[in-house]
Amino acid sequence: MVINKMILKNLRLDKFVKRIIKGNSNPKNDKIDLIDNTETPLINTDAIKLKSSCAAARYVNLYEPPALKGANYVGFDFIYGKNADKKIAPASIVKLLTCMVLIDYQKDLDESFELIEKDRASGSGANLNPGDIITFRDALYNMLLPSSNVSARAVSRVIGEKILKGKDGSPKLLFFRRMNRKAKEIGLKNSNFTNASGSYSEKMYSTANDLALLGVAALHYPDILNAWSSSSYVINVQGVNAREIEIKSTLKNIYDSDILGGKTGTLSGTLKTNNLITLVSMGNNNFIILLTAGATFDRQRYTDTRKIINYMNGHIRWPLRHLS
């Protein structure tokens, strides 16, 4: 039953989050030295046939790296890649970085702020209006579940204003600079971010490898983990039009027992692309961050994700030591 799968998954995720909060299981992938951006993956690129144009899978290195069954390869955390360093449109996967910058600068996520006319945005998650008052925590969930562009724009403005502290300048541009600074700090070497929502911009780009590294870095943020693993959430809107809004995750495989969380990224029209990042449990306290990008159709990103997981289950010998 779905309920039983969700209970098991939430228990596993809860243990994962608690280890990170205690500080005794921080992922060690956060300072990866990419030599000329040409890492060699553990699994051969041609071993898995995908519809997605790009993909990358990284082992969440809690204690030791995996090895291929029957082989002596060790020292890998870059497990699989397909065109992993090709420039792509990151779409709403960018919101992970937006949430990281938000948490870095806003220690009290239960503080409220008001949306204004300039926060209006087209696209996904257009469920808020000028005059609505919500908490930063509500904004974070709204970005990570229905992928709200409005919340992303509002957060970039409000946090930018807080950083400026009344000085002259553009709050949003300052926030975008903070996003790029954060990206460099966590090892993203082939990315440039020009907005907080992931809306298409000619000057905004990333790679499957960089976005997978972004996912690994996001694991240091329990608030992000708790949000992107949720199937639904209720936003309490204050202001003139006070109301409750139930939001749901865009992640269609959120009920799969081995998918502990994730985020979709979608662009429509002539720039059509379907991206997906997931945190996957491979059993025995082994986890991967898996990124697929550039699928033509929505379902392809899910079938490709499952293909990669199934291949790894059949070909990788995961460490069996349990965490103390």
Side-chain angles (χ1 to χ4, degrees):
M1 294 177 62
V2 168
I3 294 178
N4 290 336
K5 288 183 178 180
M6 286 301 294
I7 291 173
L8 290 172
K9 182 176 76 171
N10 288 338
L11 286 173
R12 188 156 51 243
L13 180 68
D14 186 53
K15 292 179 181 178
F16 188 91
V17 172
K18 285 180 178 178
R19 292 191 190 108
I20 291 176
I21 293 174
K22 290 179 181 178
N24 58 7
S25 294
N26 268 340
K28 300 178 178 65
N29 313 61
D30 56 342
K31 293 183 179 179
I32 296 171
D33 183 18
L34 304 183
I35 302 174
D36 297 327
N37 303 310
T38 55
E39 295 179 286
T40 302
L42 180 61
I43 297 174
N44 184 280
T45 300
D46 298 326
I48 310 172
K49 303 301 181 183
L50 305 178
K51 296 292 185 180
S52 300
S53 60
C54 304
R58 303 203 76 99
Y59 179 63
V60 181
N61 189 3
L62 294 179
Y63 41 100
E64 64 180 66
L68 286 176
K69 289 180 178 178
N72 295 318
Y73 302 138
V74 296
F76 288 87
D77 54 20
F78 181 32
I79 300 179
Y80 175 75
K82 175 185 177 182
N83 297 322
D85 293 313
K86 178 183 177 181
K87 288 185 178 179
I88 58 174
S92 286
I93 306 297
V94 168
K95 292 186 176 82
L96 282 178
L97 181 58
T98 301
C99 290
M100 291 165 65
V101 176
L102 163 62
I103 295 170
D104 285 348
Y105 284 91
Q106 179 61 39
K107 302 307 179 184
D108 182 9
L109 292 180
D110 294 317
E111 179 183 324
S112 298
F113 68 95
E114 182 175 348
L115 282 84
I116 63 175
E117 189 66 34
K118 289 183 179 180
D119 297 330
R120 287 189 185 275
S122 58
S124 58
N127 52 10
L128 297 170
N129 302 304
D132 286 345
I133 299 173
I134 62 171
T135 66
F136 287 103
R137 189 179 307 280
D138 286 345
L140 183 144
Y141 274 81
N142 210 23
M143 283 188 280
L144 295 181
L145 270 67
S147 200
S148 171
N149 293 339
V150 175
S151 292
R153 284 175 63 92
V155 163
S156 65
R157 172 185 61 82
V158 175
I159 297 300
E161 290 171 349
K162 284 175 171 281
I163 299 172
L164 276 174
K165 296 179 180 178
K167 298 178 181 178
D168 292 335
S170 168
K172 288 184 178 180
L173 288 179
L174 180 57
F175 187 89
F176 303 155
R177 285 199 292 269
R178 290 295 191 274
M179 290 175 66
N180 284 294
R181 178 188 296 180
K182 184 69 176 181
K184 290 181 180 179
E185 289 175 357
I186 61 178
L188 277 59
K189 297 188 177 182
N190 288 300
S191 298
N192 185 57
F193 302 101
T194 60
N195 64 64
S197 66
S199 299
Y200 177 76
S201 168
E202 187 176 350
K203 294 183 179 180
M204 182 158 70
Y205 57 85
S206 189
T207 67
N209 206 355
D210 272 10
L211 293 178
L213 285 171
L214 174 62
V216 172
L219 302 183
H220 291 273
Y221 293 78
D223 290 304
I224 292 177
L225 281 170
N226 285 325
W228 78 344
S229 66
S230 301
S231 58
S232 63
Y233 178 81
V234 175
I235 297 175
N236 291 292
V237 181
Q238 303 300 315
V240 177
N241 185 24
R243 62 197 186 281
E244 289 187 346
I245 303 174
E246 183 180 8
I247 56 176
K248 296 184 180 297
S249 174
T250 59
L251 204 65
K252 292 183 178 178
N253 57 358
I254 190 68
Y255 295 107
D256 292 2
S257 59
D258 54 354
I259 303 297
L260 302 189
K263 179 78 186 74
T264 58
T266 308
L267 293 175
S268 57
T270 56
L271 304 169
K272 188 173 184 179
T273 187
N274 291 276
N275 304 340
L276 177 64
I277 189 168
T278 49
L279 169 62
V280 185
S281 171
M282 304 303 295
N284 291 314
N285 290 317
N286 297 287
F287 306 90
I288 61 171
I289 285 289
L290 178 53
L291 186 287
T292 61
T296 304
F297 301 104
D298 174 47
R299 68 179 180 275
Q300 290 174 345
R301 54 183 161 186
Y302 294 102
T303 56
D304 283 348
T305 294
R306 185 50 59 186
K307 280 182 182 178
I308 297 171
I309 294 171
N310 290 345
Y311 187 92
M312 289 181 183
N313 278 326
H315 293 81
I316 289 183
R317 173 175 53 81
W318 299 102
L320 299 178
R321 285 194 302 143
H322 289 276
L323 294 174
S324 59

